[in-house]
C-alpha cells in the first residue's frame, strides 16, 4: 500500500515504529535518526516481536540537502517527523523540494526562544498547495487527538461551542525523584513558560502555574491542574465556530513543581549558552543529559493518563456540556510497545494521522491542522488502535 519514512528514533518514534509495523496500511518503513544506534535498537525489536524488517538510515534533520537526498533515495509516499520541534521547518522544506506529504506531532520552536506558534508553519500553506502535497500538523495527542475531539464535539453534539477546556493528566509514577515523560528540554521549556488562554477574542497571559483548579479525572481521581499555554488553542480558535474561551490545563505533583522551581532558580532551565570551564554549554541541554531518557521510563512506570476536552455550548437552543476523554495505562502500553503511555498516546495518533493520509480519508493540498478534517474516521481508528475514548454528558 504505502511506503513511509519516519524521522526521529526517540521515545515517541519507538511507538510510531511499532504501530506502523502492526498496521497493514504501511508496506515499507524506513526509520532515520541522528544516531544510527537509536534506529538499530528499534529495528532489532521489530524483528524480534513481529518478525518484520524495516530499513534504517542516519540523517541530520537540520540539514535540508541531506534530508532531500535521503527522501529521494527512499522514495516514501510521506514523511513522519517524530524528531524535535526544532526540525519542523527543515523537514517541511525537504518534503516540499522532494514533493512528498508531511506530518508532525508538535509545532515549530526555535532552539533559542521557548515560544511556539504556528505562524512559521502556516506560512508554508501556499507552497504546499502549489506542490500538490499535504502537511498535517500536530498529529499527537495534545495537539492532535484533542483537536479531533473538539471537531467531533462540534460535528455531533453542538450547534455552537462556547468554551473548551483541554485537560491533560498523567498520574503515572516512574519512581524517580524527577524525570520528564517526553523530551526533557521541550517539556521543561513548555511548562516553565508563562501561561496563556484565549477569551473574548484576545489572549490573556498569566505567570507560570498562576491558575490552578482541581479536576476529578475518571479512573484517576482529583488532581491539581495548572493552566498552561498549549499550541492547539491557536488553531482551534480559528476553526471552532462561536468559541468564546479556550484554556489548557495539565496536572503536576508537588514534587515535580518543587524540583522545577529549584532548577529554574539556579539557572538550570536556561536556554542561552554560558561559559563553563572554557567551553560553552546550554544549561537546559546539560540538564537533559543528566535526566533519565524518557524512552527508558516505560519499564518502571505505573498508573494511568487521562486526556480529554470539556466543551460547553448550545444545541437546539439548550445549553449542554460534554466531556470526551481517553484513559491509557502505562503498564499496558509497555506490554504492547515497550513504551510508557505518554509516548504511546503521542505515537498512536501519529500512526493514525499517517494512515488517514495514506488511505485517502484525510487528504488535501496545503498545510492543515487536525480539526480541519472529518473527525469520524480518526475517532474510529482510535478505538481500534489502542486509544478508546468515552463521551460523558456533564
Ligand atoms: P526524544 O528526545 O525521545 O526523541 C527525539 C528524537 O529525535 C531522538 O531520537 C533524536 O535522535 C531525534 N533527533 C533530534 N534531533 C535530530 C536531528 N537533528 N536529526 C535527526 N534526528 C534528530 O523525544 P520524544 O520522542 O519524547 O518526542 C518526539 C516529538 O514528539 C517531539 O517533537 C515532542 O515535542 C513531540 N510530542 C508531542 C506530543 C503530543 O501530544 N502532540 C506529546 C509528547 C511529545 P537520536 O536519538 O538519533 O539522537
Amino acid at each position: 500500500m504505502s511506503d513511509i519514512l519516519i524521522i526521529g528514533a526517540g521515545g515517541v518514534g519507538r511507538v510510531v515504529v511499532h504501530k506502523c509495523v502492526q498496521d497493514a496500511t504501511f508496506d515499507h518503513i524506513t526509520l532515520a535518526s541522528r544516531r544510527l544506534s537509536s534506529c538499530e535498537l528499534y529495528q532489532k525489536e521489530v524483528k524480534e516481536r513481529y518478525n518484520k524488517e524495516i530499513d534504517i538510515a542516519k540523517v541530520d534533520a537540520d540539514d535540508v540537502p541531506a534530508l532531500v537526498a535521503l527522501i529521494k533515495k527512499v522514495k516514501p509516499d510521506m514523511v513522519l517527523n517524530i524528531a524535535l520541534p526544532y526540525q519542523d521547518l527543515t523537514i517541511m522544506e525537504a518534503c516540499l523540494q522532494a514533493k512528498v506529504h508531511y506530518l508532525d506531532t508538535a509545532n515549530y520552536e526555535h532552539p533559542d526562544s521557548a515560544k511556539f506558534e504556528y505562524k512559521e508553519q502556516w506560512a508554508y500553506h501556499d507552497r504546499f498547495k502549489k506542490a500538490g502535497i499535504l502537511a498535517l500538523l500536530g498529529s499527537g495527542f495534545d495537539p492532535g487527538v484533542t483537536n479531533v475531539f473538539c471537531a467531533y464535539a462540534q460535528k455531533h453534539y453542538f450547534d455552537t461551542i462556547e468554551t473548551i477546556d483541554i485537560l491533560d493528566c498523567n498520574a503515572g509514577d516512574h519512581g524517580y525523584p524527577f524525570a520528564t515523560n517526553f523530551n526533557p528540554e521541550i517539556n521543561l521549556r513548555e511548562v516553565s513558560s508563562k501561561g496563556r488562554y484565549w477569551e473574548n477574542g484576545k489572549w490573556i497571559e498569566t505567570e507560570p502555574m498562576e491558575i490552578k483548579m482541581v479536576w476529578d479525572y475518571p479512573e484517576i481521581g482529583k488532581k491539581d491542574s495548572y493552566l498552561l499555554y498549549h499550541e492547539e488553542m491557536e488553531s482551534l480558535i480559528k476553526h471552532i465556530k462561536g468559541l468564546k474561551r479556550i484554556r489548557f490545563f495539565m496536572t503536576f505533583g508537588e514534587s515535580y513543581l518543587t524540583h522545577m522551581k529549584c532548577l529554574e532558580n539556579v539557572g538550570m532551565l536556561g536556554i542561552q549558552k554560558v561559559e563553563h570551564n572554557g567551553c560553552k554549554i546550554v544549561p537546559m541541554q546539560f540538564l537533559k543529559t543528566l535526566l533519565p531518557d524518557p524512552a527508558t521510563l516505560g519499564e518502571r512506570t505505573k498508573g494511568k493518563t487521562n486526556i480529554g476536552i470539556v466543551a460547553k455550548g448550545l444545541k437546539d437552543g439548550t445549553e449542554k456540556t460534554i466531556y470526551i476523554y481517553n484513559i491509557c495505562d502505562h503498564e499496558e502500553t509497555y506490554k504492547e510497545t515497550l513504551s510508557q503511555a505518554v509516548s504511546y498516546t503521542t505515537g498512536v495518533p501519529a500512526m493514525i494521522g499517517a494512515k488517514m493520509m495514506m488511505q485517502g480519508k484525510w487528504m488535501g493540498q496545503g498545510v492543515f491542522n487536525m480539526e480541519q478534517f472529518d473527525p469520524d474516521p480518526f475517532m474510529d481508528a482510535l478505538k481500534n488502535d489502542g486509544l478508546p475514548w468515552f463521551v460523558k454528558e456533564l
Side-chain angles (χ1 to χ4, degrees):
M1 298 253 300
S2 51
D3 293 357
I4 54 170
L5 169 61
I6 301 166
I7 300 178
V12 179
R14 172 185 251 152
V15 177
V16 177
V17 169
H18 277 247
K19 296 302 283 193
C20 287
V21 167
Q22 290 174 25
D23 199 291
T25 309
F26 309 104
D27 274 341
H28 186 251
I29 297 165
T30 305
L31 173 65
S33 205
R34 190 172 39 188
R35 295 173 300 164
L36 202 60
S37 56
S38 316
C39 304
E40 282 165 353
L41 176 69
Y42 300 164
Q43 185 186 44
K44 189 163 162 268
E45 274 173 26
V46 161
K47 180 75 187 154
E48 283 168 6
R49 288 214 153 201
Y50 313 101
N51 195 24
K52 289 199 179 166
E53 303 289 344
I54 60 166
D55 286 334
I56 56 170
K58 179 172 152 65
V59 73
D60 177 1
D62 294 320
D63 179 345
V64 176
L67 283 167
V68 174
L70 177 67
I71 297 171
K72 288 193 169 160
K73 183 171 164 222
V74 172
K75 296 189 182 62
D77 298 298
M78 69 176 291
V79 172
L80 285 77
N81 168 13
I82 316 294
L84 296 178
Y86 313 139
Q87 280 85 46
D88 287 5
L89 299 186
T90 46
I91 301 180
M92 286 178 84
E93 187 61 47
C95 285
L96 261 174
Q97 290 186 24
K99 287 203 170 40
V100 293
H101 303 298
Y102 168 91
L103 169 151
D104 66 33
T105 66
N107 112 232
Y108 173 68
E109 261 186 79
H110 191 281
D112 297 337
S113 143
K115 188 168 168 228
F116 44 104
E117 52 189 1
Y118 277 119
K119 190 172 69 185
E120 280 149 298
Q121 290 185 275
W122 284 341
Y124 276 82
H125 181 74
D126 289 346
R127 291 173 68 204
F128 267 75
K129 191 172 173 187
K130 199 163 160 220
I133 50 173
L134 168 64
L136 179 63
L137 306 185
S139 193
F141 206 104
D142 46 343
V145 176
T146 48
N147 303 56
V148 178
F149 283 173
C150 292
Y152 187 79
Q154 174 162 276
K155 181 173 175 183
H156 296 286
Y157 289 90
F158 294 100
D159 296 324
T160 48
I161 298 181
E162 296 189 340
T163 66
I164 294 172
D165 280 339
I166 300 166
L167 303 163
D168 178 331
C169 171
N170 176 12
D173 181 6
H174 42 60
Y176 285 115
F178 185 74
T180 63
N181 288 286
F182 67 95
N183 184 281
E185 201 181 324
I186 303 298
N187 182 242
L188 290 167
R189 280 163 65 120
E190 177 180 299
V191 301
S192 59
S193 296
K194 291 207 176 198
R196 211 169 4 140
Y197 65 100
W198 188 85
E199 190 165 37
N200 295 326
K202 55 178 195 292
W203 289 104
I204 296 157
E205 197 169 81
T206 67
E207 288 306 310
M209 311 294 161
E210 184 188 332
I211 297 182
K212 174 174 112 171
M213 68 151 178
V214 176
W215 186 258
D216 194 356
Y217 294 89
E219 291 190 33
I220 290 175
K222 289 186 180 162
K223 291 275 172 196
D224 289 345
S225 307
Y226 295 84
L227 187 141
L228 297 184
Y229 176 66
H230 226 243
E231 62 214 68
E232 64 264 52
M233 293 193 285
E234 195 189 357
S235 68
L236 287 166
I237 60 171
K238 275 177 65 165
H239 300 129
I240 300 293
K241 293 170 219 124
L243 197 59
K244 293 198 176 99
R245 189 188 71 199
I246 183 163
R247 305 182 298 184
F248 181 98
F249 291 88
M250 191 178 271
T251 59
F252 298 101
E254 274 304 311
S255 166
Y256 182 97
L257 293 178
T258 309
H259 275 85
M260 196 178 77
K261 197 74 217 159
C262 177
L263 291 166
E264 189 176 22
N265 286 344
V266 298
M268 283 301 287
L269 302 189
I271 59 174
Q272 305 301 336
K273 285 188 180 137
V274 295
E275 186 88 19
H276 173 71
N277 281 350
C279 54
K280 301 251 188 227
I281 61 162
V282 175
M284 177 80 99
Q285 288 173 1
F286 176 62
L287 176 63
K288 176 179 182 279
T289 307
L290 299 179
L291 289 175
D293 177 354
T296 63
L297 295 178
E299 205 174 357
R300 36 189 302 148
T301 308
K302 295 181 174 27
K304 291 176 182 175
T305 63
N306 179 325
I307 317 174
I309 64 136
V310 173
K312 195 170 173 182
L314 293 173
K315 179 75 179 171
D316 301 327
T318 307
E319 258 202 5
K320 67 191 291 188
T321 305
I322 63 153
Y323 183 20
I324 313 180
Y325 58 91
N326 159 264
I327 296 164
C328 198
D329 186 307
H330 286 283
E331 288 175 275
E332 293 299 317
T333 62
Y334 183 73
K335 268 188 232 151
E336 187 194 334
T337 59
L338 300 170
S339 308
Q340 38 87 0
V342 175
S343 300
Y344 188 88
T345 52
T346 311
V348 172
M351 179 282 285
I352 295 174
K355 179 158 69 170
M356 294 294 108
M357 291 166 68
M358 293 296 93
Q359 293 181 351
K361 290 178 179 158
W362 283 13
M363 205 13 94
Q365 297 175 351
V367 176
F368 289 80
N369 290 88
M370 306 285 284
E371 67 275 16
Q372 291 178 267
F373 291 103
D374 180 5
D376 292 354
F378 196 101
M379 293 291 274
D380 290 343
L382 283 172
K383 288 215 152 148
N384 294 326
D385 290 322
L387 293 176
W389 44 271
F390 309 91
V391 183
K392 231 189 198 180
E393 201 140 338
L394 299 182

